[in-house]
Amino acid sequence: MEMNEIWEKQAAYNAWMNSRLYELCSALSDEDRKADQGAFFGSVHNTLAHLLLTDLIWMRRLTGDHDVYRFENDAGELVSNPGLDTVLYEDFSKMWARRVTLDEQISEWVKGLEPGAAGRDVGYANMSGKTFSHPLWWAVTHLFNHQTHHRGQLATLLAQMGQDFGTTDLIAHLRINK
């Protein structure tokens, strides 16, 4: 199996998990979603916002397309130089809609990668301006791993709020979607 096929499965898992997560979070009040629970980004809402922003950052790096993966707020205004804790969308429904679109874009991008793309070099500057160059597989693996890391935090926050997220296992998704 090629890395591209693995990434397609990871992109589908990513979209599935995000869909389930946003659906569960939609049952919470805005006040509960935004309540500081002492997590790294404070609240459920802010953690969701971080994931959205960082996926936009990575897709900008990986594709070079700053128009498609633009940083904009609820009003559609461009946000320049956001920090990793920047909340682009205060409105949960607008953030959810952007998440759905972004997950579709990630899936399409992965499907469009040429065979053997995993080994090609990708260069970019991080948020501090430091430049890096490494194989594409490092960055794509990080993209999906980062999502999993923070979704684990969200599952804990939701459990503390009495919400059962259910299984978060990749293998469960793969079994369902052979």
Side-chain angles (χ1 to χ4, degrees), residues 32-46:
D32 286 344
R33 267 192 312 276
K34 292 179 178 178
D36 189 340
Q37 294 181 262
F40 192 80
F41 291 98
S43 67
V44 167
H45 188 89
N46 289 0

Side-chain angles (χ1 to χ4, degrees), residues 103-150:
D103 286 342
E104 290 168 356
Q105 291 167 326
I106 291 169
S107 291
E108 288 304 310
W109 176 75
V110 167
K111 287 176 186 172
L113 288 171
E114 70 278 0
R120 86 169 140 87
D121 279 344
V122 62
Y124 62 91
N126 70 7
M127 302 295 281
S128 301
K130 186 173 180 182
T131 59
F132 295 91
S133 180
H134 49 67
L136 178 64
W137 78 263
W138 289 15
V140 177
T141 300
H142 172 76
L143 174 78
F144 294 123
N145 188 61
H146 183 255
Q147 279 275 342
T148 299
H149 166 70
H150 287 297

Side-chain angles (χ1 to χ4, degrees), residues 53 57 60 71 78-84 86 88 127:
L53 175 67
I57 290 168
R60 287 166 70 116
F71 307 131
L78 293 180
V79 176
S80 59
N81 303 316
L84 294 176
T86 299
L88 296 174
M127 302 295 281

Side-chain angles (χ1 to χ4, degrees), residues 13-159:
Y13 166 74
N14 188 57
W16 179 67
M17 288 299 295
N18 284 333
S19 174
R20 292 178 55 222
L21 180 61
Y22 272 81
E23 185 69 36
L24 184 60
C25 289
S26 72
L28 301 172
S29 70
D30 203 45
E31 182 180 352
D32 286 344
R33 267 192 312 276
K34 292 179 178 178
D36 189 340
Q37 294 181 262
F40 192 80
F41 291 98
S43 67
V44 167
H45 188 89
N46 289 0
T47 305
L48 291 169
H50 170 73
L51 283 171
L52 179 65
L53 175 67
T54 54
D55 278 3
L56 288 168
I57 290 168
W58 275 104
M59 291 307 293
R60 287 166 70 116
R61 290 173 181 166
L62 295 171
T63 67
D65 194 332
H66 292 216
D67 292 326
V68 170
Y69 304 104
R70 64 193 172 280
F71 307 131
E72 66 181 17
N73 62 21
D74 296 84
E77 302 163 333
L78 293 180
V79 176
S80 59
N81 303 316
L84 294 176
D85 60 351
T86 299
V87 176
L88 296 174
Y89 297 92
E90 290 295 336
D91 181 295
F92 179 74
S93 63
K94 289 183 180 181
M95 183 166 58
W96 188 356
R98 184 63 182 108
R99 177 79 261 171
V100 169
T101 300
L102 183 55
D103 286 342
E104 290 168 356
Q105 291 167 326
I106 291 169
S107 291
E108 288 304 310
W109 176 75
V110 167
K111 287 176 186 172
L113 288 171
E114 70 278 0
R120 86 169 140 87
D121 279 344
V122 62
Y124 62 91
N126 70 7
M127 302 295 281
S128 301
K130 186 173 180 182
T131 59
F132 295 91
S133 180
H134 49 67
L136 178 64
W137 78 263
W138 289 15
V140 177
T141 300
H142 172 76
L143 174 78
F144 294 123
N145 188 61
H146 183 255
Q147 279 275 342
T148 299
H149 166 70
H150 287 297
R151 278 194 304 260
Q153 293 173 336
L154 286 162
T156 299
L157 293 176
L158 290 165

